[in-house]
Amino acid sequence: MSFCHALRQGCCVLVLVALCFGRTQAAGADSDAATTTKLTRSAGAGASTVASQWEALWNFCLNLVTYASLLIPAYFAINWLQNSPRLTHGPFMYSKLLRSCVSGLEEPNGAGSLEEGAGAAGSGSDSSAAALRNARLARLKNLETSIPASVRLTICAVGLQISYVTWGVLQERIMTQSYGGEAAGDGSTAERFTNSQFLVLVNRILAFVVACVAVTIIPHPAHATPLYKYSFCSISNILSSWCQYEALKFVSFPTQVVFKSCKVIPVMLMGKVVSRRTYAWYEYAVAVFISIGVSIFLLSDIGANGSKKVGSATTFAGVIILAGYLTFDSFTSNWQKSLFDQYKVSPLQMMMGVNLFSCLFTTASLVQRGQLLPSLAFLQRHPEALYNITLLSAFSAVGQLFIYYTVRTFGPLTFTIIMTTRQLISIITSCIVYHHVIMPLGVVGAGIAFTAVFTQAYIKSRASSSAKAAKHKQPSAGPSEPTKGANS
């Protein structure tokens, strides 16, 4: 599977790069000079000027244009391939590769288990490999069940807290603090790392490697998803991550964390648009209270820091970028949910496919805009930045594994409670490490937002428990007790 993934993505990217190569060469020189100047900017210049705000918004627009220049040629290429006889004729591996790219490899008996798919191939060696995988899966299941559920839940909770609290501290260190200068004692010029897209690239490379290792160890279902469908949520995932990192130039980390708590609002909007979902009244009420809490927090932050980094104009730019983060992130989750429902893809397969596309897209974009070499040069000048970025990516990748296991084993409610607690711990940690000040009104706003999140999780838990109880009672209600349901 990973071999076909790699070949397919490589072919797609080669087509895209070839089609966009002319524009790349024209834009590369100017962008390279601008990026070099940006990466060597002194730390004392800061990010609170009006010019830096417009620069960030301009880079955001350039990112959209860059990825559009990759997706549009790919769209026409996929449409051509879907109507091409090469999908059904020609060498077996060649046609299989194309089918996996544009239409998926459907199993004869549907998207079953990996072992079923191997057995359907009719190969003796495949059957032996499937038997070995079955035995390995049985051993893993026995090992998992031998550990008490409370111990596994504790491990997941601690792992998530360590992974993402550390990730938050490192994220703020990389994007808001200086490298070099007098503090380093090496005579270098103090400068900040400003290329958020390169940070996304390193993050996705580590996540892809972790996913590859996990897929080779843990048995997974047969893969039938058309590979190109991962590209949509990959692009939105890249842009949401870019917005998240870029926003730290204009808002404090606590502000970012509280703002992200209102993710439920764009998720509901995207759910209506992408999946035609309907929502209960309490979900709309939760969205309103989260909006009120976040608004109170932002207003208090503006009033407390009017002359500092988070001034009113700068906060406005930061809010726009954070709004972009929420929009793209909500699309990512809804699109992934549709793939889970339609193709029964496993979380690890999703992690592998999305991160592979993300690696290819971000690499192509960085090369196209002439930003790859200046970023590498910055890491060469400041090895501490390389260490921080690698550590950040490693914690993020491991954290994704904890996320998948926690949701699968203990459900989304437990995961929501753990991650909301993590957000509170991250705010406290950031205030201690980087000396942020939160006004009393801001504490009230954060309290309203997080209380609404906890309330939503609790109501969903009660509704889920009631639905399960009703489902269990349904078979037992026979003809001799026609009024039991009404009386209860």
Side-chain angles (χ1 to χ4, degrees):
M1 182 193 69
S2 59
F3 175 72
C4 292
H5 271 292
L7 284 179
R8 188 287 313 268
Q9 327 296 16
C11 292
C12 291
V13 168
L14 286 176
V15 172
L16 300 175
V17 172
L19 291 173
C20 302
F21 185 75
R23 191 173 69 85
T24 300
Q25 295 299 313
D30 294 339
S31 182
D32 184 37
T35 305
T36 303
T37 303
K38 185 179 180 183
L39 288 175
T40 57
R41 181 188 302 155
S42 171
S48 59
T49 63
V50 174
S52 66
Q53 298 172 55
W54 282 108
E55 181 184 9
L57 296 177
W58 174 247
N59 283 330
F60 178 70
C61 295
L62 285 179
N63 284 336
L64 295 178
V65 172
T66 299
Y67 291 122
S69 71
L70 299 177
L71 286 178
I72 292 174
Y75 170 79
F76 289 106
I78 290 171
N79 278 343
W80 177 75
L81 287 172
Q82 285 177 336
N83 300 317
S84 172
R86 290 181 176 84
L87 290 178
T88 54
H89 300 83
F92 173 74
M93 286 301 296
Y94 181 58
S95 60
K96 183 177 180 180
L97 173 62
L98 290 180
R99 287 201 308 273
S100 69
C101 293
V102 301
S103 62
L105 296 176
E106 297 183 2
E107 296 298 322
N109 297 322
S113 66
L114 179 65
E115 289 76 19
E116 292 171 348
S123 171
S125 60
D126 288 346
S127 299
S128 300
L132 290 175
R133 284 190 290 269
N134 273 328
R136 185 174 60 188
L137 178 60
R139 288 195 298 270
L140 288 174
K141 286 291 183 183
N142 291 334
L143 177 62
E144 180 181 356
T145 54
S146 66
I147 303 174
S150 58
V151 175
R152 285 183 280 134
L153 178 59
T154 301
I155 293 174
C156 289
V158 173
L160 285 169
Q161 300 298 338
I162 293 176
S163 297
Y164 284 104
V165 171
T166 307
W167 172 82
V169 172
L170 289 170
Q171 178 187 221
E172 192 168 7
R173 166 68 182 95
I174 294 167
M175 298 305 299
T176 66
Q177 306 297 311
S178 304
Y179 290 95
E182 297 180 1
D186 55 3
S188 59
T189 302
E191 50 186 340
R192 290 183 180 178
F193 184 82
T194 57
N195 196 328
S196 301
Q197 191 167 215
F198 183 82
L199 198 58
V200 175
L201 171 62
V202 179
N203 196 314
R204 296 303 178 265
I205 290 174
L206 266 293
F208 175 69
V209 171
V210 170
C212 288
V213 173
V215 163
T216 58
I217 295 175
I218 302 172
H220 47 276
H223 187 271
T225 309
L227 298 174
Y228 80 91
K229 290 197 172 184
Y230 290 120
S231 63
F232 300 107
C233 55
S234 173
I235 291 291
S236 60
N237 181 256
I238 291 170
L239 290 171
S240 67
S241 298
W242 182 91
C243 291
Q244 181 175 236
Y245 295 134
E246 194 74 11
L248 284 177
K249 300 176 183 178
F250 307 101
V251 301
S252 66
F253 183 78
T255 301
Q256 184 194 76
V257 172
V258 175
F259 197 95
K260 286 163 62 177
S261 68
C262 66
K263 186 189 300 185
V264 63
I265 300 171
V267 166
M268 291 172 64
L269 294 175
M270 285 291 178
K272 278 188 169 295
V273 174
V274 176
S275 306
R276 308 298 184 193
R277 296 180 187 173
T278 58
Y279 299 95
W281 66 268
Y282 72 86
E283 293 181 286
Y284 290 102
V286 166
V288 170
F289 278 104
I290 289 176
S291 301
I292 293 173
V294 172
S295 300
I296 292 174
F297 186 92
L298 291 176
L299 290 174
S300 71
D301 204 11
I302 293 172
N305 301 283
S307 61
K308 298 180 183 179
K309 176 184 177 181
V310 194
S312 57
T314 303
T315 299
F316 177 73
V319 167
I320 291 177
I321 295 174
L322 283 176
Y325 160 78
L326 294 177
T327 302
F328 291 118
D329 190 67
S330 60
F331 175 84
T332 300
S333 60
N334 278 282
W335 187 266
Q336 288 178 333
K337 180 66 166 56
S338 67
L339 294 183
F340 282 129
D341 294 340
Q342 182 177 359
Y343 298 102
K344 310 302 179 185
V345 61
S346 74
L348 287 175
Q349 289 171 336
M350 179 71 72
M351 180 178 175
M352 185 175 177
V354 171
N355 284 304
L356 181 54
F357 265 108
S358 298
C359 292
L360 295 170
F361 282 138
T362 50
T363 301
S365 177
L366 286 169
V367 172
Q368 185 177 11
R369 297 182 58 188
Q371 294 179 340
L372 182 60
L373 293 181
S375 298
L376 293 174
F378 183 94
L379 299 183
Q380 185 178 17
R381 293 193 302 271
H382 304 286
E384 183 187 357
L386 175 61
Y387 172 77
N388 289 338
I389 291 174
T390 304
L391 200 60
L392 170 84
S393 303
F395 275 109
S396 176
V398 173
Q400 289 185 47
L401 296 180
F402 279 114
I403 287 175
Y404 291 140
Y405 183 83
T406 303
V407 173
R408 178 178 66 86
T409 306
F410 303 104
L413 169 64
T414 302
F415 172 72
T416 299
I417 293 174
I418 292 174
M419 293 305 285
T420 304
T421 305
R422 188 273 301 179
Q423 290 177 326
L424 294 173
I425 296 175
S426 294
I427 290 177
I428 296 172
T429 304
S430 178
C431 290
I432 294 173
V433 175
Y434 298 108
H435 311 293
H436 296 299
V437 177
I438 300 179
M439 301 300 290
L441 187 60
V443 175
V444 172
I448 293 174
F450 287 120
T451 300
V453 173
F454 277 115
T455 302
Q456 182 191 38
Y458 174 75
I459 295 176
K460 281 189 174 182
S461 174
R462 292 293 300 272
S464 177
S465 300
S466 300
K468 288 181 180 179
K471 186 177 180 180
H472 286 306
K473 289 181 179 181
Q474 187 68 26
S476 63
S480 59
E481 299 179 345
T483 60
K484 182 177 180 180
N487 293 334
S488 59

